[in-house]
Amino acid sequence: KRAEAKIQLFRNLLDHSSDGIFIVNPATSRFLDVNEAACRDLLYARDELLQRGVVDIQTTLPDVAAWQAYVQELRAQGHVIMEFDALRKDGSRFHVEASIEYVTIVNQAFIIAVVRDITERKRAERALRRFNRALKTLSACNEVLVRATDETQLLNEMCKQIVEAGGYRMAWVGLVECDGEHRIRRAAQAGCIAGSLDTHLAQVKGEEDWCPTIRAARTGTVQIVEDISADSTFPLWREEVLRLGVLSCLALPLLQDSQVLGSLTLYAA
């Protein structure tokens, strides 16, 4: 009874951990034991999770062959710390950091993993990177404002600094033409898309194509496309920008005395 009480105490302590704890069979990847945090994070009941294995929840190990190769590497190293996307029961994913150790007890091998949800930490890191990038870009553009001697130089240098200092894939300034059709004229551009941009812009009219650039120029409001691949309203050159690794877009209206002169459009990976 004393031994049973100690086992129950150990179980209670494991279940009070905020990190997921997994005991794994190295031969099969099946879970031999898990704590409550592991079940909660993955949205499984404990008996359901014990019918599954690492290959069911770790996206970087899609099958048993990949698992076996991983076990050999882990056995040689003994202990690793790694990050990966974990797959919940409902199909959603979340980013985790795992401390994983290969151990042998009484001639029997086990893998012990302590897994922590770091989704919020990663979100904070991305926000910090965006903030630092914005500050770096702003500083570079301020220097351009001081040095520029005319509008053309100013706009081209601004685009150049947004790409080089800010790390954007492309930046371009479109000005609204007073031609009755509200065409967008490229006034400046820098980055990865140059060759076919003139062709595309020749097809863009204020009344015909509600791309982010047009929306910003017509409404005077900031336009954001977080996922170009999922935005069916994105204009004709969507496939081209996706091939170049562009994933999102930001269009900023250019205002003078409440009049919208055009827009500055940024493309990011």
Side-chain angles (χ1 to χ4, degrees), residues 83 97 116-126:
E83 296 180 9
E97 180 183 76
R116 175 168 297 178
D117 183 346
I118 58 172
T119 302
E120 290 304 318
R121 187 177 87 190
K122 287 296 182 181
R123 185 177 291 117
E125 289 174 356
R126 288 194 296 270

Side-chain angles (χ1 to χ4, degrees), residues 20-21 25 44-45 62 64 85 89 92 100 106 116 125 135 147 162 165 167 186 205 225 227 234 243 245 261 263:
I21 299 175
N25 184 335
Y44 283 101
V64 174
D85 284 338
K89 181 181 178 180
S92 63
I100 307 169
V106 193
R116 175 168 297 178
E125 289 174 356
L135 284 180
R147 297 195 309 266
I162 287 169
R186 182 182 63 173
K205 298 178 182 179
V225 180
D227 185 356
F234 201 83
R243 282 195 300 271
L261 304 181
S263 63

Side-chain angles (χ1 to χ4, degrees), residues 175-185 259-261:
L175 298 180
V176 179
E177 294 277 48
C178 298
D179 60 358
E181 294 186 327
H182 300 93
R183 292 182 185 273
I184 297 293
R185 173 177 61 86
Q259 179 183 1
V260 183
L261 304 181

Side-chain angles (χ1 to χ4, degrees), residues 32-83:
L32 301 174
D33 203 357
V34 294
N35 69 344
E36 287 187 2
C39 300
R40 181 178 64 249
D41 289 344
L42 293 169
L43 306 181
Y44 283 101
R46 185 170 181 275
D47 59 341
E48 291 180 312
L49 197 50
L50 292 179
Q51 297 301 313
R52 288 164 172 78
V54 176
V55 296
D56 297 309
I57 63 105
Q58 186 169 340
T59 56
T60 57
L61 297 172
D63 51 41
V64 174
W67 166 254
Q68 291 172 345
Y70 170 75
V71 170
Q72 293 302 314
E73 182 178 345
L74 177 62
R75 185 176 182 180
Q77 297 183 42
H79 174 259
V80 298
I81 296 176
M82 62 183 300
E83 296 180 9

Side-chain angles (χ1 to χ4, degrees), residues 200-219:
H200 291 312
L201 293 182
Q203 302 174 34
V204 177
K205 298 178 182 179
E207 300 296 333
E208 295 179 359
D209 196 334
W210 281 72
C211 70
T213 299
I214 292 292
R215 288 197 296 266
R218 290 196 59 182
T219 66

Side-chain angles (χ1 to χ4, degrees), residues 147-160:
R147 297 195 309 266
T149 58
D150 58 59
E151 180 183 276
T152 300
Q153 181 188 10
L154 172 65
L155 296 179
N156 278 293
E157 283 296 317
M158 281 284 191
C159 290
K160 180 180 178 182

